[in-house]
Amino acid sequence: MKSFAGNYFEDFTLGRVLKHATPLTVTEADLAIYRSLTGSRYALYSAAPFAEAAGFERQPIDPLIVFHIVFGKTVPDISLNAVANLGYADGKFLAPVFPGDTLYATSEVIGHKENSSGRTGVVYVRTTGTNQHGETVLSYVRWVMVHKQDPLSDAPETVIPDLPDVVDPASLSAHADYASYDGELAGSTDFYEDYDIGEKIDHVDGMTIEEAEHQTATRLYQNTAKVHFNQHVQAETRNKRRLIYGGVVISTARSLAFNGLANAAQMIAINGGTHCNPLFAGDTIYAWSEVLDKAELSEKTGALRLRLIATKDLPCEEYPYKGTDGKYLPNVLLDFDYWAAIPKAR
Amino acid sequence: MKSFAGNYFEDFTLGRVLKHATPLTVTEADLAIYRSLTGSRYALYSAAPFAEAAGFERQPIDPLIVFHIVFGKTVPDISLNAVANLGYADGKFLAPVFPGDTLYATSEVIGHKENSSGRTGVVYVRTTGTNQHGETVLSYVRWVMVHKQDPLSDAPETVIPDLPDVVDPASLSAHADYASYDGELAGSTDFYEDYDIGEKIDHVDGMTIEEAEHQTATRLYQNTAKVHFNQHVQAETRNKRRLIYGGVVISTARSLAFNGLANAAQMIAINGGTHCNPLFAGDTIYAWSEVLDKAELSEKTGALRLRLIATKDLPCEEYPYKGTDGKYLPNVLLDFDYWAAIPKAR
Amino acid sequence: MKSFAGNYFEDFTLGRVLKHATPLTVTEADLAIYRSLTGSRYALYSAAPFAEAAGFERQPIDPLIVFHIVFGKTVPDISLNAVANLGYADGKFLAPVFPGDTLYATSEVIGHKENSSGRTGVVYVRTTGTNQHGETVLSYVRWVMVHKQDPLSDAPETVIPDLPDVVDPASLSAHADYASYDGELAGSTDFYEDYDIGEKIDHVDGMTIEEAEHQTATRLYQNTAKVHFNQHVQAETRNKRRLIYGGVVISTARSLAFNGLANAAQMIAINGGTHCNPLFAGDTIYAWSEVLDKAELSEKTGALRLRLIATKDLPCEEYPYKGTDGKYLPNVLLDFDYWAAIPKAR
């Protein structure tokens, strides 16, 4: 067989390292296409002089683009036969990525647990994204439910990795000193000091997603998961539609979050994330955020720990989240927990 | 409130200067995405050696991209609560923009007039686009009808700026000497001398616009006007659909105008413009032009003053425009009046 | 008439050379947009360090992008009044194209034959794509059926050029020595030696094409053929829909072919191609390949002659092709015959 049908639960032996294929050179075109697909307006990723004034050696690539590309590389090896993408943890953006840099990805199997059905199991991998100099730019853990190839194969020993609920902010850096920063130009005069723990922000705007848009974005990241692209097959599924890549939801919600968090442009860590409900073309994404925590980063920067909630066809002035049963409301798409750097008032 | 809901009529005090957020570095990717969305084929904005032969120091950015980006920056401050975009005047492209340049925008309130209803008013602003060197690359006036925040607030003194019907061609330059220019390569052997005042040109072709296309273009310009993006809200409006950004109509019509005006590639001034009727996804744009005036620019270039009319679902061999009642025909989308540089025959 | 309505059969006199308009500078943005529209993952056209290790001086442009752009330039002169695009032959990629290079196109009429109806004829042209240094980067022959302007005009002498069924692999080069090549990074450990003549490969995946996607791709190539863009006119045709440009089918199928042919990234010649049936938005493309022949190219590379078949809404595990009547099955879209360079095992 020359074509590859993906790995099964049995293939994910503990400690196995998968070197993912197709490194990708990211360019300023990725920034422009990303902008055209998400509406992103964060000045740090839009304007080179602004980024340079903030202390970057030149225009950096939005960390979410880096995340989606590194994630995309893992799909053929990790999640082609996945039943569900269950979660993320301990994600850290460890070095900036610039136009012209090339991204490579590897994953190590750090845990597995067969499900009681005997037909599926959960696999934990730590994925590392590196640049052409071998520097790690991103590291994160995700776990997925994967089909077993043979339901009768023996269950491996259960190993569940010890994962932090939250990335320790003391381990994080903004990779720039934010020495010079013009909030008015960035779109907000609210800085680190202006946000309070527990504060909620309705991002007001909504954005409707079309089939062509989510497919184009997902291909930009070279993510090949079949459920996003093949209507001929999806028509036979329960939903009858193509599923929109969860990363499209994250990026659209983050772009909407500009309105209220314009200075918290730089994602520096991903604490966790849940894709609560599926999104389909024609649906409209809304978003709200909650400040979960704050931390000092450096003389001129702090970090906000933010919960980003995306909904479909549901404005967020009442901050929709979970029902009284503790379950996500049916219109809630995403519960994403991250740290963003934000300059202090000066 | 961390998120911003836009300015109201009362906020536009005379002489107020609004420094718009989110400068944007434009790159050759903007040219390529613009081409892929509009079908633009003007050689000056497609081929670097062609532009350099014409006297540009390197490949310039299409002035309409500059216009849309500068315009987009003004939306959050000027027209988020706009009822209607009423007109443009005195638009001048004052310096070329090249890939790598960063665009900034400011607007000054130069006029206002409360409407008799007491619920809305008209605001006049002069918007200035500058580059990273502080040079003005674009200046234009637009006026919009904006909601009052409080219908009971006092009406300000009416001030209506004195605006030219036409930009004086003596004030314009092509920013290049067009020393060497190959019409056959550009797609036409019709030059300045070949166009007559009063001449009308049917641009023949038609282009259908999809939701994904107009949204992608509008986000490319970081234009955030809600009516273009949120089907969940638009479904409740009279039209039940997302409105297509008028700039998409202008750019599509200008791209269609290649067929008949291939050498009039460089827009150097905008005299005025009216968005006569709304466009929706699935509609097909056609276009025709009329030569309104001609002017000498330099030894090797002249300028054509052109009326560009865009229609929907209506071919233009009969130059559809206004009815006997003087009103625009229902299928007419755009009446746009501009100056374009064009080389002389040599 | 300032706008151009295209050439007719009578205009294609033997030996006539048409210098096509609108040269185009291709950039890394073309690579990124192409990736976002086709899902292409070939490492040679995704990762600069990978391409440089293989011996390219820097990141090259995918030859299919070059083909589509050169082809697009010929449309206004050759096929605006075409009834059908009948075939390709003797296509050779003669030099690599890099970001920043500018593509020019000319065509020479090398044959013509009036059809018995007297209303149409077949025209053969050899199209040459050159770069800004005047080097030929691509040469191919295509023939199209074109309307006569006047059915009563005299038929010209029939001249049918002598065309090879297959490009002689001895005339081909990969333009790089492939000195260093990492198959695992490229996505496959199958090399030249691993493919057998007669071997068939099901590429497994499917991709659904939306209106916005094929229009955007076709405009990226500045291809202006009306049938792809104007729903207002197409609604009155038998199919009632816009036709998708055949090049979109070729590129999508080639991108799907990554899964099974990841190391055969570099197309070096086009032997022939037939667009068997039309594709419309909403249809899903599948693909399979057959190894028709093999040839040595150099110490470290060979070439595979491949038949690429694209289908719509029909998975390819049974390699659908022609019926017992020798005609293409109704779901077969494309029969494309090409040579691709592929590294040898090392």
Side-chain angles (χ1 to χ4, degrees):
Chain A
M1 269 292 279
K2 294 292 196 308
S3 49
F4 182 58
N7 288 308
Y8 290 89
F9 182 69
E10 293 91 331
D11 299 310
F12 294 100
T13 51
L14 201 69
R16 182 176 172 194
V17 175
L18 298 104
K19 179 177 161 184
H20 303 300
T22 63
L24 183 66
T25 304
V26 292
T27 70
E28 56 193 23
D30 290 274
L31 277 174
I33 300 170
Y34 184 79
R35 163 166 48 97
S36 76
L37 291 170
T38 65
S40 179
R41 287 184 289 153
Y42 294 104
L44 219 48
Y45 305 110
S46 295
F50 190 94
E52 289 161 13
F56 288 90
E57 71 182 67
R58 52 197 177 92
Q59 172 71 71
I61 297 287
D62 190 314
L64 269 182
I65 299 177
V66 175
F67 176 75
H68 295 322
I69 288 174
V70 170
F71 184 99
K73 309 249 141 291
T74 71
V75 166
D77 296 321
I78 306 293
S79 47
L80 217 55
N81 296 308
V83 184
N85 195 26
L86 298 173
Y88 314 102
D90 201 26
K92 290 183 261 196
F93 295 97
L94 296 165
V97 174
F98 299 105
D101 283 353
T102 300
L103 295 172
Y104 301 76
T106 57
S107 295
E108 181 180 353
V109 179
I110 60 169
H112 46 36
K113 177 182 182 301
E114 182 164 310
N115 287 329
S116 55
S117 71
R119 290 182 307 194
T120 58
V122 176
V123 174
Y124 296 78
V125 295
R126 174 168 289 282
T127 295
T128 304
T130 54
N131 65 19
Q132 70 278 16
H133 307 301
E135 292 173 295
T136 298
V137 297
L138 168 63
S139 173
Y140 68 93
V141 173
R142 75 162 164 147
W143 52 107
V144 291
M145 192 189 303
V146 184
H147 283 292
K148 288 184 70 179
Q149 186 154 29
D150 175 5
L152 301 178
S153 66
D154 287 344
E157 186 189 4
T158 292
V159 176
I160 295 178
D162 189 30
L163 296 171
D165 288 337
V166 183
V167 177
D168 179 0
S171 72
L172 297 174
S173 157
H175 318 134
D177 60 9
Y178 282 69
S180 171
Y181 190 95
D182 179 339
E184 197 179 1
L185 264 191
S188 168
T189 51
D190 289 315
F191 294 100
Y192 178 69
E193 297 84 347
D194 299 304
Y195 290 87
D196 296 316
I197 295 173
E199 180 174 358
K200 293 177 179 176
I201 303 158
D202 172 16
H203 300 305
V204 181
D205 301 316
M207 186 162 290
T208 307
I209 310 293
E210 301 294 322
E211 298 282 14
E213 292 168 345
H214 77 81
Q215 293 197 148
T216 301
T218 308
R219 286 183 299 239
L220 182 70
Y221 315 131
Q222 296 186 316
N223 180 325
T224 58
K226 298 157 192 277
V227 292
H228 310 315
F229 295 116
N230 187 329
Q231 182 57 30
H232 182 246
V233 162
Q234 291 302 112
E236 306 302 315
T237 62
R238 186 166 56 92
N239 290 313
K240 303 192 186 309
R241 320 260 315 257
R242 280 160 278 177
L243 291 172
I244 293 179
Y245 165 48
V248 168
V249 178
I250 298 172
S251 284
T252 304
R254 264 290 283 173
S255 294
L256 294 171
F258 176 91
N259 196 353
L261 287 167
N263 290 324
Q266 188 187 354
M267 187 177 289
I268 55 175
I270 296 172
N271 298 310
T274 302
H275 297 286
C276 323
N277 283 294
L279 181 73
F280 302 103
D283 292 344
T284 300
I285 299 178
Y286 292 88
W288 63 273
S289 295
E290 179 176 357
V291 180
L292 296 177
D293 203 355
K294 298 178 65 171
E296 297 277 330
L297 278 186
S298 69
E299 189 195 339
K300 298 210 167 179
T301 62
L304 300 181
R305 181 183 167 199
L306 294 159
R307 168 180 288 142
L308 175 62
I309 301 295
T311 64
K312 66 174 162 184
D313 296 340
L314 184 65
C316 292
E317 63 267 45
E318 294 176 16
Y319 312 113
Y321 190 40
K322 292 179 178 174
T324 50
D325 58 0
K327 291 183 178 163
Y328 289 107
L329 294 173
N331 286 40
V332 172
L333 298 169
L334 173 75
D335 183 358
F336 193 73
D337 180 339
Y338 68 101
W339 286 103
I342 183 167
K344 298 179 186 171
R346 46 202 68 197
Chain B
M1 268 293 279
K2 294 292 196 308
S3 49
F4 181 57
N7 288 309
Y8 290 89
F9 181 69
E10 293 91 332
D11 299 310
F12 294 100
T13 51
L14 201 68
R16 181 176 173 194
V17 174
L18 299 104
K19 179 177 162 184
H20 304 301
T22 64
L24 182 66
T25 303
V26 291
T27 70
E28 56 192 24
D30 290 273
L31 275 175
I33 299 170
Y34 185 79
R35 164 166 47 97
S36 76
L37 290 171
T38 65
S40 178
R41 286 184 289 152
Y42 294 103
L44 219 49
Y45 306 109
S46 295
F50 190 93
E52 289 161 13
F56 288 91
E57 70 182 69
R58 52 196 178 93
Q59 172 70 72
I61 298 286
D62 190 315
L64 269 181
I65 299 177
V66 175
F67 176 74
H68 295 322
I69 288 173
V70 170
F71 184 99
K73 310 248 140 291
T74 72
V75 165
D77 296 321
I78 306 294
S79 47
L80 216 56
N81 296 307
V83 184
N85 194 26
L86 298 173
Y88 314 103
D90 202 26
K92 290 183 261 196
F93 295 96
L94 295 164
V97 174
F98 299 106
D101 283 353
T102 300
L103 296 172
Y104 301 76
T106 56
S107 295
E108 181 180 352
V109 180
I110 60 169
H112 46 36
K113 177 183 181 301
E114 183 165 309
N115 287 330
S116 55
S117 72
R119 289 182 307 194
T120 57
V122 176
V123 173
Y124 295 78
V125 295
R126 174 167 290 282
T127 295
T128 304
T130 54
N131 64 18
Q132 70 278 17
H133 308 301
E135 292 173 293
T136 298
V137 298
L138 168 64
S139 173
Y140 68 92
V141 173
R142 75 162 165 147
W143 53 106
V144 292
M145 192 190 302
V146 183
H147 284 292
K148 287 184 70 179
Q149 187 154 29
D150 175 5
L152 301 178
S153 67
D154 286 342
E157 186 190 6
T158 293
V159 175
I160 295 178
D162 189 29
L163 296 171
D165 288 337
V166 183
V167 177
D168 179 0
S171 72
L172 297 174
S173 156
H175 318 132
D177 59 10
Y178 281 69
S180 172
Y181 190 94
D182 180 339
E184 197 180 359
L185 263 191
S188 168
T189 50
D190 290 316
F191 295 100
Y192 178 67
E193 296 84 349
D194 299 305
Y195 291 87
D196 297 317
I197 295 173
E199 180 174 358
K200 293 177 180 178
I201 303 158
D202 172 16
H203 300 306
V204 181
D205 301 316
M207 186 162 288
T208 307
I209 310 293
E210 302 294 323
E211 299 282 14
E213 292 169 345
H214 77 82
Q215 293 197 146
T216 301
T218 308
R219 287 183 299 240
L220 181 71
Y221 314 132
Q222 297 187 317
N223 180 325
T224 57
K226 298 158 191 276
V227 292
H228 310 315
F229 295 116
N230 186 330
Q231 182 56 33
H232 182 247
V233 162
Q234 291 301 112
E236 306 303 315
T237 63
R238 186 166 55 92
N239 290 312
K240 302 192 188 308
R241 319 260 316 255
R242 280 161 277 178
L243 290 173
I244 293 179
Y245 165 47
V248 167
V249 178
I250 297 172
S251 282
T252 304
R254 263 290 284 173
S255 294
L256 294 172
F258 176 90
N259 196 354
L261 287 166
N263 290 324
Q266 189 187 354
M267 187 177 289
I268 56 176
I270 296 172
N271 298 311
T274 301
H275 298 286
C276 324
N277 283 293
L279 181 72
F280 303 103
D283 292 344
T284 300
I285 300 178
Y286 291 88
W288 65 273
S289 293
E290 179 176 357
V291 180
L292 296 177
D293 203 354
K294 298 178 65 171
E296 297 277 329
L297 279 185
S298 68
E299 188 195 339
K300 299 210 168 181
T301 62
L304 301 180
R305 182 184 166 199
L306 294 159
R307 168 180 288 142
L308 175 63
I309 301 295
T311 64
K312 65 174 164 184
D313 297 340
L314 183 65
C316 292
E317 63 267 45
E318 294 176 17
Y319 312 114
Y321 190 41
K322 292 179 177 173
T324 50
D325 57 0
K327 291 184 178 163
Y328 290 107
L329 295 174
N331 287 40
V332 172
L333 299 169
L334 174 74
D335 184 358
F336 193 73
D337 180 338
Y338 67 102
W339 286 102
I342 182 167
K344 297 180 186 169
R346 47 201 67 198
Chain C
M1 268 292 279
K2 294 292 195 309
S3 50
F4 181 57
N7 289 308
Y8 290 89
F9 182 68
E10 293 91 332
D11 299 310
F12 294 100
T13 52
L14 201 69
R16 182 177 172 193
V17 174
L18 299 103
K19 179 177 162 183
H20 305 301
T22 62
L24 181 66
T25 303
V26 292
T27 70
E28 56 192 25
D30 290 272
L31 276 174
I33 300 170
Y34 184 80
R35 163 165 48 97
S36 76
L37 291 170
T38 65
S40 179
R41 286 184 288 152
Y42 293 105
L44 220 48
Y45 305 110
S46 295
F50 190 94
E52 289 160 13
F56 288 91
E57 70 183 68
R58 52 196 178 93
Q59 173 70 72
I61 298 286
D62 190 315
L64 270 181
I65 299 177
V66 175
F67 176 75
H68 295 322
I69 289 173
V70 170
F71 184 99
K73 309 249 141 289
T74 72
V75 165
D77 296 321
I78 306 293
S79 47
L80 217 56
N81 296 307
V83 184
N85 194 26
L86 298 173
Y88 314 102
D90 202 27
K92 289 184 261 196
F93 295 97
L94 295 165
V97 174
F98 299 106
D101 284 352
T102 300
L103 295 172
Y104 300 77
T106 56
S107 296
E108 181 180 353
V109 180
I110 60 169
H112 46 36
K113 178 182 180 301
E114 183 165 311
N115 287 328
S116 54
S117 71
R119 289 182 307 194
T120 58
V122 176
V123 173
Y124 296 79
V125 295
R126 173 168 290 282
T127 295
T128 303
T130 53
N131 65 19
Q132 71 278 16
H133 307 301
E135 292 173 295
T136 298
V137 298
L138 168 63
S139 173
Y140 68 93
V141 173
R142 75 161 164 147
W143 53 106
V144 291
M145 193 189 302
V146 184
H147 283 292
K148 287 183 70 177
Q149 188 154 29
D150 176 5
L152 300 179
S153 67
D154 286 342
E157 186 190 5
T158 293
V159 176
I160 296 178
D162 189 30
L163 296 170
D165 288 339
V166 183
V167 177
D168 179 0
S171 71
L172 297 174
S173 157
H175 317 135
D177 60 9
Y178 282 70
S180 172
Y181 190 95
D182 179 339
E184 197 179 1
L185 264 190
S188 168
T189 51
D190 290 316
F191 294 100
Y192 178 68
E193 297 83 349
D194 299 305
Y195 290 87
D196 296 316
I197 296 174
E199 181 174 358
K200 292 177 179 176
I201 302 158
D202 172 17
H203 300 305
V204 181
D205 301 317
M207 186 162 289
T208 307
I209 310 293
E210 301 294 322
E211 298 283 14
E213 293 169 345
H214 77 82
Q215 291 197 147
T216 301
T218 307
R219 286 183 299 240
L220 181 70
Y221 314 132
Q222 296 186 317
N223 180 326
T224 58
K226 297 158 191 275
V227 292
H228 310 315
F229 295 115
N230 187 329
Q231 181 57 31
H232 182 246
V233 162
Q234 291 301 112
E236 306 302 315
T237 62
R238 187 166 55 91
N239 290 313
K240 302 190 188 309
R241 321 258 315 255
R242 279 160 279 177
L243 290 173
I244 293 178
Y245 165 47
V248 167
V249 178
I250 297 172
S251 283
T252 305
R254 264 290 283 174
S255 294
L256 294 172
F258 176 90
N259 196 353
L261 288 166
N263 290 324
Q266 189 187 355
M267 188 177 289
I268 55 175
I270 296 172
N271 298 310
T274 301
H275 297 287
C276 323
N277 283 293
L279 181 73
F280 302 102
D283 292 344
T284 300
I285 299 179
Y286 291 88
W288 64 273
S289 294
E290 179 176 358
V291 181
L292 296 176
D293 202 355
K294 299 178 64 173
E296 298 277 328
L297 278 186
S298 69
E299 188 195 338
K300 298 210 168 179
T301 61
L304 300 180
R305 182 183 166 199
L306 294 159
R307 168 180 289 140
L308 175 63
I309 301 295
T311 65
K312 66 174 163 184
D313 296 342
L314 184 65
C316 291
E317 62 267 45
E318 295 176 16
Y319 311 114
Y321 190 40
K322 292 179 177 173
T324 50
D325 58 0
K327 291 184 180 163
Y328 290 108
L329 294 173
N331 287 40
V332 172
L333 298 169
L334 173 75
D335 183 358
F336 193 73
D337 180 339
Y338 68 101
W339 286 104
I342 183 167
K344 297 179 185 170
R346 45 203 69 195

